[in-house]
Amino acid sequence: MKQYATGAPAETVAVTSSSDVVTARQMVRTLAQRSGLSLVHQTKLVTAASELGRNMLVYGGGGVVRAAPVSDEGRRGIFVEFTDEGPGIPDVELALTDGWTSGNGMGLGLSGAKRLVDEFEIESGPGGTTVRIVKWGR
Amino acid sequence: MTDRVPVLKIGDILLVSIQTDLEDQMVMDLQDDLSHRIVETNAKGVVIDISALEIVDSFVGRMLATNASISRILGAETIVVGMRPAVAMTLVELGLSLKGVRTALNLERGLRLLRRLTAAPADRA
Ligand SMILES: Nc1ncnc2c1ncn2[C@@H]1O[C@H](COP(=O)(O)OP(=O)(O)OP(=O)(O)O)[C@@H](O)[C@H]1O
Ligand SMILES: [Mg+2]
């Protein structure tokens, strides 16, 4: 993923409980509104953030969500990063398959979040997982 | 302790109006509360108003689907009303079809649909 110019310092939310996932969601929503993303784009981005924030909590044992407005060639968007220090995802490609879950979820979180945003990147290893997403306005 | 979503009984219908951004625990509690209240009150129908919900992710989506199946087994029909258009578009892209979940545009239409569905078989159109 390209390093985009950020329009403001990143905001962060530490996630250690499901109420923190709500807080992270609200932070992303506020940034998206401020950057002028359409309602549909906001909804898609916040839904993706909800999925990734929950995964971070459930499988990664919690972590940090960092978000910032970004711009590129006149476009404005929102960058969000989810970092945990959990066990990592052994097979990222498999985890990105619709319907694949190691637990009792529906296996839609990762694959669905990927579809809902414009850019999506996962780095995962035994030291933890980082997922980065960008949603552009329009 | 997290807050609980209130379940109101109106005649033989249970009405759930979700007014806040839901934490996962609240979603699970609501699912429990609803199945208990259906049995306790002998409700014939459940209406879940999600018009205030800004997002429905896989967790809430699964609760809506599971609740529809559970209530059906317990003899009640569930109608989900008021889903925002942006939420509906997002759900489809997320990959959630909500198969088996009956929906209506708003509360009024949901209640009308419920009345039709729960009418005695003899006077069902
Ligand atoms: N941050 C993470 N750390 C470790 N494993 C992860 C992480 N995120 C996802 N996974 C793994 O990837 C699998 C797929 O994740 P995904 O979100 O698609 O589905 P799910 O969480 O199992 O179900 P759903 O999100 O539909 O409720 C998970 O079951 C889990 O094994
Ligand atoms: Mg998930």
Side-chain angles (χ1 to χ4, degrees):
Chain A
M1 189 182 287
K2 208 170 129 185
Q3 275 291 115
Y4 296 109
T6 51
E11 293 188 26
T12 62
V13 171
V15 173
T16 57
S17 74
S18 66
S19 69
D20 299 329
V21 176
V22 175
T23 309
R25 230 149 60 185
Q26 282 161 353
M27 164 184 77
V28 172
R29 162 81 67 181
T30 306
L31 286 174
Q33 272 167 349
R34 236 184 267 152
S35 289
L37 265 67
S38 72
L39 185 60
V40 173
H41 282 53
Q42 286 175 35
T43 306
K44 289 182 178 178
L45 173 65
V46 176
T47 305
S50 184
E51 297 296 342
L52 298 172
R54 177 179 302 107
N55 280 353
M56 195 174 81
L57 179 65
V58 173
Y59 305 109
V64 175
V65 182
R66 213 165 60 87
V70 287
S71 61
D72 185 51
E73 294 169 359
R75 294 186 296 179
R76 299 217 291 167
I78 299 295
F79 164 86
V80 193
E81 180 183 76
F82 306 79
T83 308
D84 67 60
E85 296 178 350
I89 307 175
D91 187 340
V92 170
E93 208 161 315
L94 182 65
L96 273 167
T97 314
D98 262 349
W100 192 86
T101 174
S102 67
N104 54 2
M106 289 189 295
L108 285 178
L110 276 183
S111 51
K114 185 176 180 185
R115 278 192 291 273
L116 289 171
V117 298
D118 298 311
E119 296 182 38
F120 184 96
E121 176 180 282
I122 300 187
E123 267 170 38
S124 192
T129 301
T130 297
V131 182
R132 298 186 190 92
I133 58 176
V134 175
K135 183 82 184 164
W136 296 109
R138 260 149 274 279
Chain B
M1 263 291 290
T2 44
D3 297 334
R4 282 181 119 84
V5 180
V7 177
L8 307 177
K9 180 179 180 297
I10 302 170
D12 52 7
I13 288 175
L14 296 178
L15 176 64
V16 180
S17 180
I18 300 173
Q19 290 300 328
T20 52
D21 197 345
L22 296 178
E23 243 177 72
D24 289 1
Q25 188 58 49
M26 293 175 76
V27 176
M28 293 189 281
D29 289 344
L30 176 59
Q31 188 166 312
D32 274 3
D33 290 350
L34 262 176
S35 9
H36 286 118
R37 292 292 300 277
I38 290 170
V39 173
E40 215 173 82
T41 62
N42 202 11
K44 288 285 156 285
V46 178
V47 176
I48 305 180
D49 184 352
I50 61 166
S51 56
L53 275 192
E54 292 181 337
I55 65 158
V56 172
D57 62 12
S58 66
F59 202 80
V60 173
R62 183 161 56 148
M63 181 275 287
L64 294 174
T66 306
N67 179 261
S69 322
I70 294 178
S71 64
R72 202 161 291 143
I73 293 170
L74 297 175
E77 278 293 336
T78 296
I79 319 265
V80 173
V81 305
M83 184 183 294
R84 299 181 179 193
V87 170
M89 291 166 72
T90 301
L91 266 182
V92 171
E93 211 164 315
L94 186 63
L96 265 181
S97 61
L98 290 192
K99 255 190 268 128
V101 178
R102 286 181 194 276
T103 56
L105 218 49
N106 54 38
L107 188 56
E108 194 187 333
R109 289 196 191 197
L111 289 172
R112 211 186 302 152
L113 174 59
L114 202 52
R115 231 173 288 132
R116 201 147 41 79
L117 290 170
T118 58
D123 43 70
R124 197 178 274 183

